[in-house]
Amino acid sequence: MQDLLDSLRYATLAGFSWEQPRLLLLLPLVPLLFVLRWALARRRRAHLDVAFVAGELRRDWSAALRFVPDVVLALSLGFGIVALARPQRTDERVVQTGQGIDIVLVLDVSASMELQDLRPNRLEAAKRVALDFLDRRRGDRVGLVAFAGNAYSLAPLTTDYELLRENLQGLRLGLIANDGTAIGTALGVATNRLRDSPSRTKVCILLSDGENTAGSLDPLTAAQLAHAYGLKLYTIGLGQDGVVPYGTDENGRPRFVETRLDETTMRQIAQAGDGRFFRATDNAGLRQVFDQINRYEKSEIKQTRYRNTQDYYRTYLYWCLGFWLLWLGLKNTFLTNALED
């Protein structure tokens, strides 16, 4: 009984999906059928003039009872339409199979990342593209390492992409007090993060704009060590060689500095790690580099969707039949005015 009463609540009806939702458009036609019947009957009905005594004829409220059968019939038709529209509820369960890959992003935050051959500067351009790269991962664990003269792990391998976004957005120039470019040390920190990973695919993506000038670990030695632990290394060289813009002087005029990327070492690191070296001299090139890495490194995640659909039309069919039987019973009672039929 409680289920029957619950089926009449607006919240219950609003929570359904409908197999034939267009049939619900017939509901406003139900009262129109009775209005049309009344109009036709009024035109064809014979009239008998009867003279009453002077004064207004008093109306009895019981005269309205003759409309009860029509109301019951309208309810029966309404519930019948609802039943035909097939109210349903669908539960969907998604099961993931397969395994994602583990990725560590290694970003240079040294002072040279302030150069403006990438807009607004090298570091901000790298952060934006790294965030876009992160948005495309599904089911992969990602970690973050930042380095300058030293290297620090800012985020462990995790699928908490919101945490990773916060850490990426928090990268800034001067984050690491000891300036320089410790590429070998940064690779060592990334290797420590990935070496115990159970994933079959372990990837390190290194972004830097200079040559190794700090740290006690040689970059090639670090790359060979990473390869021994099963890491694949992608290296991305940021910026142009030569004279590039670097802020303004005290008079507001643009300043320029000389810069050079040790491309040879970056290529050797990628080769030692069975990966690839990329050069990004502008924002569009950097975006294309990450697009290529996205195509190379795809996680083997498969999603299986299970849909369980349950029909609720029977409840409204019971209401329809119940009101129909009630209407048939009322047709033979005093509630029906024979002169009106």
Side-chain angles (χ1 to χ4, degrees):
M1 185 62 184
Q2 186 61 39
D3 291 341
L4 287 174
L5 294 176
D6 286 342
S7 67
L8 301 179
R9 297 171 57 208
Y10 172 79
T12 302
L13 291 168
F16 287 133
S17 58
W18 304 85
E19 180 72 18
Q20 301 291 338
R22 293 182 180 178
L23 289 178
L24 296 176
L25 298 175
L26 298 177
L27 286 174
L29 298 180
V30 173
L32 291 180
L33 288 176
F34 291 92
V35 172
L36 181 62
R37 190 192 71 168
W38 174 82
L40 293 175
R42 184 177 178 84
R43 291 184 59 186
R44 297 177 181 178
R45 183 182 302 147
H47 293 274
L48 177 63
D49 293 330
V50 178
F52 293 97
V53 296
E56 184 179 350
L57 181 64
R58 190 177 63 180
R59 297 181 179 274
D60 193 335
W61 65 268
S62 61
L65 293 177
R66 63 188 176 88
F67 295 109
V68 171
D70 288 344
V71 173
V72 172
L73 179 58
L75 289 172
S76 176
L77 293 175
F79 282 117
I81 291 172
V82 172
L84 288 174
R86 295 284 297 276
Q88 299 174 338
R89 282 202 180 97
T90 301
D91 295 325
E92 186 173 69
R93 183 166 54 96
V94 179
V95 177
Q96 288 189 342
T97 57
Q99 188 177 30
I101 61 180
D102 285 349
I103 303 171
V104 170
L105 295 173
V106 184
L107 269 71
D108 189 345
V109 295
S110 61
S112 60
M113 292 290 284
E114 191 176 0
L115 298 183
Q116 296 168 339
D117 46 351
L118 277 72
R119 296 294 179 181
N121 59 44
R122 292 176 177 179
L123 178 58
E124 292 301 319
K127 285 165 56 176
R128 290 176 184 177
V129 179
L131 286 167
D132 182 63
F133 174 80
L134 189 62
D135 289 339
R136 302 187 191 185
R137 310 315 300 181
R138 295 292 182 272
D140 299 328
R141 296 196 304 169
V142 181
L144 179 63
V145 172
F147 73 96
N150 295 320
Y152 298 97
S153 176
L154 300 183
L157 290 169
T158 179
T159 56
D160 186 350
Y161 297 143
E162 190 59 38
L163 171 67
L164 290 165
R165 289 188 189 94
E166 290 177 5
N167 280 280
L168 269 171
Q169 291 167 347
L171 292 178
R172 55 181 174 79
L173 298 165
L175 179 67
I176 298 174
N178 184 18
D179 197 26
T181 308
I183 294 176
T185 303
L187 287 174
V189 173
T191 301
N192 280 334
R193 277 297 182 196
L194 287 168
R195 65 179 182 177
D196 295 327
S197 165
S199 175
R200 289 182 297 178
T201 304
K202 296 177 279 190
V203 176
C204 175
I205 302 174
L206 171 70
L207 293 95
S208 181
D209 67 345
E211 55 185 337
N212 190 70
T213 59
S216 57
L217 184 59
D218 178 69
L220 291 181
T221 302
Q224 293 166 355
L225 180 64
H227 180 61
Y229 281 107
L231 276 66
K232 182 184 290 187
L233 303 178
Y234 290 101
T235 57
I236 302 174
L238 295 172
Q240 306 170 7
D241 289 334
V243 178
V244 298
Y246 176 53
T248 57
D249 60 19
E250 60 276 6
N251 296 319
R253 293 174 298 188
R255 292 186 302 181
F256 295 90
V257 297
E258 184 85 19
T259 182
R260 186 182 73 86
L261 172 73
D262 186 1
E263 188 170 311
T264 300
T265 299
M266 297 284 276
R267 287 185 181 277
Q268 290 174 342
I269 291 171
Q271 185 177 5
D274 285 338
R276 286 193 59 182
F277 165 76
F278 301 93
R279 187 69 187 265
T281 58
D282 55 29
N283 293 54
L286 181 59
R287 194 172 297 107
Q288 291 173 5
V289 167
F290 271 93
D291 287 342
Q292 290 187 55
I293 295 175
N294 257 320
R295 288 194 293 270
Y296 294 149
E297 302 300 335
K298 291 185 178 295
S299 53
E300 299 178 356
I301 300 293
K302 295 181 180 179
Q303 288 188 345
T304 305
R305 297 180 180 272
Y306 297 92
R307 296 173 62 91
N308 179 31
T309 301
Q310 186 173 357
D311 274 307
Y312 287 87
Y313 73 90
R314 292 184 181 86
T315 301
Y316 299 96
L317 185 59
Y318 295 152
W319 279 111
C320 173
L321 294 176
F323 279 114
W324 181 267
L325 294 175
L326 178 60
W327 175 74
L328 291 177
L330 293 176
K331 288 289 288 182
N332 298 312
T333 67
F334 73 95
L335 295 177
T336 302
N337 188 330
L339 294 177
E340 294 292 324
D341 291 336

